[in-house]
Amino acid sequence: MEGWLAQIVNWINQLIWGFPALLLILGAGLYFTCRLGFLPIRRLPMALGNLGRRLRQPPEDGVSPFQAVCTALAATVGTGNIAGVAGAIALGGPGAVFWMWIAALLGMSLKYAEAVLAVRYRQPRPNGQFAGGPMYYMEQGLGKAWRPLAVAYCCFGVAAAFGVGNSTQVSAAVTSMNQALAAFQIPETFAGNLTMGLILGLLVGLVVLGGAKRIGSVAEYLIPVVCLGYVLLGVGALIHNRQALPQALASIAAGAFSPRAVTGGAIGSLLVTLRIGVARGVFTNEAGMGTASIAHAGANVRHPAEQGLYGIFEVFADTLVICTMTALVILTSGVPVPYGQDAGAELTVAAFASVYGSGAAVFLAIAMALLAFATILGWGLYGSRCAEYLLGGRGGKLFAIVHAATTVLGALVAPSLLWNLAEALNGLMAVPNLIALLALSPEVIRLSQAYFSRTQIERRHAGLSGEQDDENLRQRQLL
């Protein structure tokens, strides 16, 4: 039964991630990057500055912009950064990392546009907070005639929340935990996997039912600590393996266009390498899917473009920092890569263990579990918002209960099937979202020009220069 299902999912996955979908994603990213004048690259220092300022500010009522970006990061910085990158290298060769970088550079513009439109067309909720995202900018920005596209997006979103944001995360976390337990001579058992799934499900239910504010409160503490610890561990491993770093970078560059030369013929198609790199890149940073905009829409922010800057930082931190760190640790470790097979967390654990010993498995198991938990929380918000759009207020609570109950599924199903299913659902969500983004691109350009022009004028009047910022300026910015 599982083999038959895997074949169907794999066929759908290849169909969705064929040349037309790749052209749409990369083409839309290139279009926004050029139309915005390479804004994500030019404004990255400003995004980092805004983030630093938010960290110093006292808590706000509602969902703060920092909590919104942490919720979005909770959903993006997950096991895909650890297990997904390893799978991308094994299935697409080192060159897949290059195409992940390209997808990220273009995806920064898409994430920016998604956050801008989400804040622009968000709608108030009865509890005083906001709801927004692709389904709202499809209907509110493009008109009622586009509602069927919004409905389709939400249907894909609810399904993806169980695959992308739930089962794959639990599966990777449980695999890593079992590896850590094996170091203490504790074998993997069905009962053990079931227990881990039930514990995660209970914790997820307690947080997700608390809504966006509770999810944001958990994410703003959990994500920075886990990410910082992982990055420090990665930096230490790269320093230890520094002599192998030039060769690793060379293999990425060579494998991007000639994968056969690097993988010994195990992977010989450039299209396979490109497809795997872009698909796993979208899985990790979610640029083009529109999901993160659901979290950004709830931010207590004064101008859509201001929140859009956090979307730029989100892709930068997820793919260009954390995913790159994972890839380079694997490629410099000397651990054999099983090209052509869907390697996962075990390859990353082995790479870190080659530097830190068996203790690395324990740390990564804990990190994987925490990142999986955070990702499930973020996707819990996304799925509940999609369910609310489809079914009304009760739909959100119903989804939260089912979301927590099905967390156990990921602990019991084969990881390879879940990864293929997750990638297929990513593509199904990306297509309607990218169509809406392109249709609303003039509004993104208008809002961006108005925001940055006003900011420059106010800075000149205030006697400020460069990327300096001031709270008085923020207070004067108008939507």
Side-chain angles (χ1 to χ4, degrees), residues 258-272:
S258 181
R260 185 185 302 274
V262 179
T263 63
I267 299 163
S269 171
L270 171 60
L271 182 60
V272 169

Side-chain angles (χ1 to χ4, degrees), residues 162-345:
F162 296 118
V164 179
N166 192 319
S167 298
T168 54
Q169 306 301 322
V170 179
S171 175
V174 167
T175 299
S176 185
M177 288 293 290
N178 283 325
Q179 281 190 292
L181 292 174
F184 299 97
Q185 307 301 317
I186 301 176
E188 177 181 354
T189 64
F190 177 85
N193 291 350
L194 180 62
T195 300
M196 285 187 277
L198 289 172
I199 291 173
L200 273 175
L202 177 62
L203 293 174
V204 167
L206 291 174
V207 178
V208 172
L209 286 172
K213 179 65 177 176
R214 185 180 297 176
I215 293 174
S217 297
V218 173
E220 73 173 324
Y221 292 104
L222 181 61
I223 289 300
V225 171
V226 177
C227 290
L228 180 60
Y230 183 74
V231 168
L232 290 176
L233 200 69
V235 169
L238 292 180
I239 292 175
H240 181 273
N241 299 330
R242 58 189 178 277
Q243 293 183 344
L245 193 56
Q247 183 180 354
L249 293 172
S251 70
I252 292 174
F257 302 98
S258 181
R260 185 185 302 274
V262 179
T263 63
I267 299 163
S269 171
L270 171 60
L271 182 60
V272 169
T273 298
L274 190 152
R275 184 182 70 83
I276 293 295
V278 174
R280 290 293 168 98
V282 172
F283 180 88
T284 59
N285 60 49
E286 298 177 18
M289 290 175 58
T291 46
S293 69
I294 297 174
H296 288 292
N300 186 5
V301 68
R302 292 179 176 274
H303 195 283
E306 183 180 350
Q307 192 64 28
L309 292 174
Y310 292 107
I312 295 172
F313 165 77
E314 190 182 321
V315 178
F316 171 79
D318 176 89
T319 305
L320 298 181
V321 176
I322 300 177
C323 286
T324 299
M325 184 79 63
T326 302
L328 291 177
V329 169
I330 291 172
L331 294 173
T332 60
S333 67
V335 174
V337 178
Y339 292 120
Q341 304 176 27
D342 194 358

